Amino acid sequence: MRIKSVEFAGAIGQPGQPPPESARGMPQVAFSGRSNVGKSSLINRLLGRTRTAIARVSATPGKTQEINFYRVRSDLGDFFLVDLPGYGFARAPEEARKKWEKYISSYLSRGEDLAGVVQLIDLRTGPTPDDLRSVEYLAELGLPVLFAFTKSDKLTATKRKEAFDKTVKALGIEPDQAIAFSSLKGDGRDDLLETLGALVFPQGDESADEDGSDGDEADADPEGEVPGDGEGAGAPD
């Protein structure tokens, strides 16, 4: 799958609030992970927005308080990438954490347009108790889950292989369910895009745009509407 363009489409900030109107009836893929796992950096690299970020990276974990929706146009068709607030930020007020949990749960449990979830895990540390709880919850919902192991560039090749195998074992998944990803170097980007394409568009090229464009010229750095600094303007890690 090749990315042609991406734009911010709106956000959910309250339990029971519906997705943006443009996202309703469209295939969606949610990205989940603990605070500071590198989610925004992964999304920017994945979508080819390393020069003009679409998801805002923040030095303050737990700052995101909304579910952000991004419309992605690809050579296979349009879909929505859904950026969930990071969990596990201990310094966030308990009331705020409970609120986030409610509307995240509300979205995931009634996400009839949700094709699956990409669960991020820091490859250096492996799954935390919060990660394991998230994985268990997604399993209870019966959602397809793909795992992206972030910050793989922080480890040597040997340590990376050891950490990958150990993390796969800790999660109780098959190795082909996980991809080691480096937002800095771009390692794993092509594999993740290919897997997402198969998940969202199982018919492959039959779902491509009618104009037949393969989107090659846009994949390196697709243009789109970059949100500003206001409310719902993008998701920090």
Side-chain angles (χ1 to χ4, degrees):
M1 179 171 65
R2 295 185 180 276
I3 305 300
K4 297 165 66 176
S5 67
V6 55
E7 62 184 11
F8 178 70
I12 291 177
Q14 298 292 333
Q17 181 180 348
E21 185 174 355
S22 60
R24 299 172 202 173
M26 296 287 290
Q28 301 166 17
V29 178
F31 280 62
S32 171
R34 67 175 178 80
S35 297
N36 206 31
V37 74
K39 181 155 51 64
S40 295
S41 296
L42 180 146
I43 289 172
N44 286 326
R45 170 63 75 170
L46 181 69
L47 298 180
R49 296 299 296 265
T50 55
R51 287 184 291 176
T52 52
I54 188 77
R56 191 173 65 244
V57 179
S58 172
T60 307
K63 186 177 180 181
T64 305
Q65 299 183 18
E66 296 177 318
I67 299 175
N68 292 284
F69 290 74
Y70 302 97
R71 182 166 190 146
V72 181
R73 292 180 171 84
S74 77
D75 59 331
L76 298 182
D78 289 9
F79 69 98
F80 279 78
L81 186 154
V82 183
D83 186 6
L84 303 177
Y87 55 79
F89 183 53
R91 285 185 291 170
E94 182 178 359
E95 182 178 350
R97 293 202 305 270
K98 289 182 177 179
K99 177 185 174 183
W100 303 342
E101 290 172 359
K102 283 183 180 179
Y103 65 77
I104 291 173
S105 175
S106 175
Y107 167 72
L108 292 174
S109 62
R110 62 183 180 84
E112 59 272 8
D113 299 319
L114 191 58
V117 177
V118 178
Q119 174 68 49
L120 276 62
I121 305 289
D122 190 327
L123 186 59
R124 303 170 301 173
T125 62
T128 66
D130 286 323
D131 291 329
L132 295 175
R133 280 191 288 270
S134 175
V135 172
E136 182 179 1
Y137 177 65
L138 294 173
E140 290 174 357
L141 293 177
L143 291 170
V145 180
L146 172 67
F147 293 85
F149 297 164
T150 63
K151 306 184 182 183
S152 65
D153 56 280
K154 305 296 184 182
L155 301 172
T156 64
T158 300
K159 292 293 186 181
R160 185 162 56 245
K161 176 63 167 59
E162 292 176 356
F164 187 95
D165 293 343
K166 183 178 180 180
T167 303
V168 163
K169 184 177 181 179
L171 291 168
I173 62 175
E174 296 297 325
D176 60 5
Q177 284 182 258
I179 295 171
F181 198 98
S182 168
S183 298
L184 179 64
K185 298 182 178 181
D187 297 342
R189 178 178 185 262
D190 291 344
D191 289 340
L192 185 51
L193 282 173
E194 180 180 357
T195 304
L196 287 179
L199 176 66
V200 179
F201 305 107
Q203 299 305 314
D205 291 338
E206 294 179 11
S207 300
D209 293 344
E210 293 182 0
D211 62 8
S213 172
D214 61 8
D216 288 353
E217 72 283 355
D219 191 51
D221 187 19
E223 293 300 324
E225 178 187 345
V226 180
D229 293 332
E231 183 177 3
D237 291 341

